[in-house]
């Protein structure tokens, strides 16, 4: 005796018999009618009860369980279909955007290891054939920084400029900003020469040394400084005056290098230094 006959004798309905109750034949096609809303469009031209039962269980699991077509209600895992869309982006634009995340939006380099950001960036990286991670972004930043430095050096070669020195503290960090203002054509532009994190006491001598280091990095001399603008800090004003004094000493040294200096010039040298410093105060305006 086969299983079907045994089920009939025991009064049990087979899966095939239950499934047939939810199948409707219309125009030589067998259609699914297990969905109470009638929105399912599944149909067969050649009737196959096994495929219908599989369809009920996978597409209509709750209805299949309720009507006895499955013993347990199991979660259905559907294959995720991702629609392909055309996006106009090239490698240069993509890498430029990644660089802006760290430079303009102040994200740390480790952001490229964040899982959420990787979910967005990895598909683009794969499509463009480029690799974006902490290491190569750091390399690109160094290369870009060198390129900007060379551009600024070319812009400021041999021209007069106004130096701006500013200092700010936030959350225990002390930052010294050094900017240059100058004219290109009829336009006044500002270039940031350096942003220095200060970790020691900010004395006037220390600030003067840092400013000189930044100017040297761009091949700029003190003779090109038209004025110095600083914040209201006492040490910032003193740093500007130290730069003014250094220029005066350099000019005075050039004058005495051509002759032999004797002791009688010591007093005169001091007086001359004071006079030259006073004279240069018009060139190096210290503005708060």
């Amino acid at each position: 005796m086969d299983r079907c006959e045994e089920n009939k004798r025991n009064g049990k309905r087979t899966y095939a018999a239950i499934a047939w109750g939810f199948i409707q034949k219309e125009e030589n096609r067998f259609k699914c009618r297990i969905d109470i809303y009638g929105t399912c469009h599944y149909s067969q031209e050649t009737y196959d009860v096994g495929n219908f039962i599989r369809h009920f269980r996978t597409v209509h699991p709750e209805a299949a369980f309720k009507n006895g077509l499955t013993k347990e209600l199991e979660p259905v895992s559907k294959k995720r279909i991702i629609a392909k869309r055309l996006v106009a982006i090239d490698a240069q634009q993509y890498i430029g955007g990644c660089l802006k995340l760290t430079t303009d939006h102040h994200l740390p380099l480790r952001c490229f290891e964040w899982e959420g950001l990787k979910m967005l960036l990895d598909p683009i990286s794969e499509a463009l054939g480029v690799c974006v991670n902490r290491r190569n972004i750091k390399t690109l930043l160094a290369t870009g920084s060198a390129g900007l430095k060379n551009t600024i050096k070319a812009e400021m070669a041999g021209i007069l400029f106004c130096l701006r020195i500013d200092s700010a503290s936030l959350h225990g960090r002390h930052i010294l900003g050094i900017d240059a203002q100058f004219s290109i054509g009829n336009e006044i532009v500002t270039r940031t020469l350096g942003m220095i994190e200060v970790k020691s006491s900010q004395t006037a001598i220390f600030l003067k040394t840092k400013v000189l280091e930044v100017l040297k990095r761009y091949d700029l001399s003190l003779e090109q400084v038209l004025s110095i603008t600083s914040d209201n800090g006492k040490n910032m004003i003193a740093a500007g005056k130290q730069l003014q004094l250094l220029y005066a000493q350099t000019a005075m040294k050039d004058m005495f290098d051509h002759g032999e200096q004797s002791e009688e010039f010591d007093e005169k040298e001091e007086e001359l230094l004071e006079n030259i410093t006073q004279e240069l105060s018009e060139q190096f305006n210290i503005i708060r």
Side-chain angles (χ1 to χ4, degrees):
M1 183 185 298
D2 60 16
R3 190 172 180 181
C4 291
E5 291 294 331
E6 185 180 350
N7 287 334
K8 287 179 181 179
R9 282 181 174 272
N10 295 331
K12 293 182 179 180
R13 298 179 65 198
T14 62
Y15 286 147
I18 297 173
W20 180 253
F22 301 102
I23 300 170
Q24 183 176 355
K25 187 176 180 181
E26 294 180 2
E27 299 178 356
N28 298 322
R29 294 194 68 87
F30 299 90
K31 298 184 178 180
C32 169
R33 289 294 178 262
I34 198 171
D35 182 9
I36 60 174
Y37 301 104
T39 57
C40 183
H41 300 290
Y42 178 80
S43 66
Q44 296 178 3
E45 186 175 357
T46 303
Y47 179 65
D48 187 327
V49 67
N51 286 341
F52 259 111
I53 294 173
R54 188 180 302 109
H55 167 75
F56 293 150
R57 290 174 176 174
T58 55
V59 180
H60 311 284
E62 293 184 0
F65 175 72
K66 181 179 179 182
N67 292 286
L69 286 168
T70 181
K71 295 181 179 179
E72 296 180 0
L73 183 59
E74 298 180 357
V76 179
S77 57
K78 294 184 179 179
K79 185 178 180 180
R80 188 180 178 191
I81 301 174
I82 302 176
K84 293 183 179 181
R85 295 179 175 86
L86 295 176
V87 178
I89 187 171
D90 58 15
Q92 184 177 359
Q93 183 182 5
Y94 173 58
I95 293 175
C98 291
L99 292 175
K100 280 183 176 291
L101 291 177
T102 59
T103 55
D104 289 3
H105 305 298
H106 313 296
L107 291 183
L109 288 173
R110 67 175 181 274
C111 74
F112 298 101
E113 299 171 358
W114 295 348
E115 184 178 354
L117 199 58
K118 283 176 66 67
M119 290 174 65
L120 298 174
L121 298 183
D122 284 355
I124 304 176
S125 297
E126 184 178 353
L128 295 175
V130 298
C131 179
V132 171
N133 54 42
R134 180 198 298 217
R135 185 173 57 258
N136 57 26
I137 286 295
K138 188 175 181 179
T139 302
L140 289 171
L141 286 173
T143 304
S145 176
L148 286 175
K149 185 176 73 173
N150 291 333
T151 301
I152 294 174
K153 285 171 66 174
E155 287 179 335
M156 300 185 66
I159 67 170
L160 295 176
F161 63 92
C162 300
L163 194 65
R164 297 176 57 188
I165 306 174
D166 198 7
S167 180
S169 297
L170 183 65
H171 301 307
R173 299 182 67 189
H174 204 169
I175 305 297
L176 179 68
I178 302 171
D179 300 336
Q181 271 191 338
F182 53 94
S183 174
I184 297 181
N186 296 322
E187 183 181 1
I188 301 297
V189 298
T190 302
R191 299 287 185 258
T192 299
L193 304 181
M195 297 288 289
I196 303 167
E197 184 173 1
V198 181
K199 297 183 180 179
S200 58
S201 178
Q202 202 176 49
T203 63
I205 296 176
F206 172 79
L207 294 179
K208 180 197 72 174
T209 303
K210 287 296 181 184
V211 172
L212 289 176
E213 287 177 1
V214 170
L215 293 180
K216 184 178 180 181
R217 190 185 309 161
Y218 291 89
D219 297 333
L220 299 172
S221 64
L222 291 177
E223 288 86 349
Q224 293 176 250
V225 180
L226 183 63
S227 67
I228 300 176
T229 304
S230 64
D231 67 6
N232 289 323
K234 178 175 63 176
N235 289 339
M236 301 300 295
I237 302 300
K241 291 189 178 297
Q242 291 247 358
L243 290 174
Q244 179 182 343
L245 182 62
L246 180 63
Y247 180 76
Q249 290 172 339
T250 303
M252 183 188 65
K253 183 177 183 298
D254 290 339
M255 294 176 62
F256 283 100
D257 278 346
H258 298 288
E260 189 175 338
Q261 185 176 346
S262 61
E263 292 182 4
E264 64 178 343
F265 281 96
D266 288 346
E267 187 174 346
K268 189 173 182 180
E269 178 183 342
E270 184 176 348
E271 183 181 353
L272 181 61
L273 175 60
E274 182 178 352
N275 292 338
I276 293 178
T277 304
Q278 220 172 13
E279 232 177 89
L280 293 174
S281 64
E282 294 183 1
Q283 180 182 2
F284 290 95
N285 295 316
I286 312 301
I287 304 170
R288 291 190 178 186

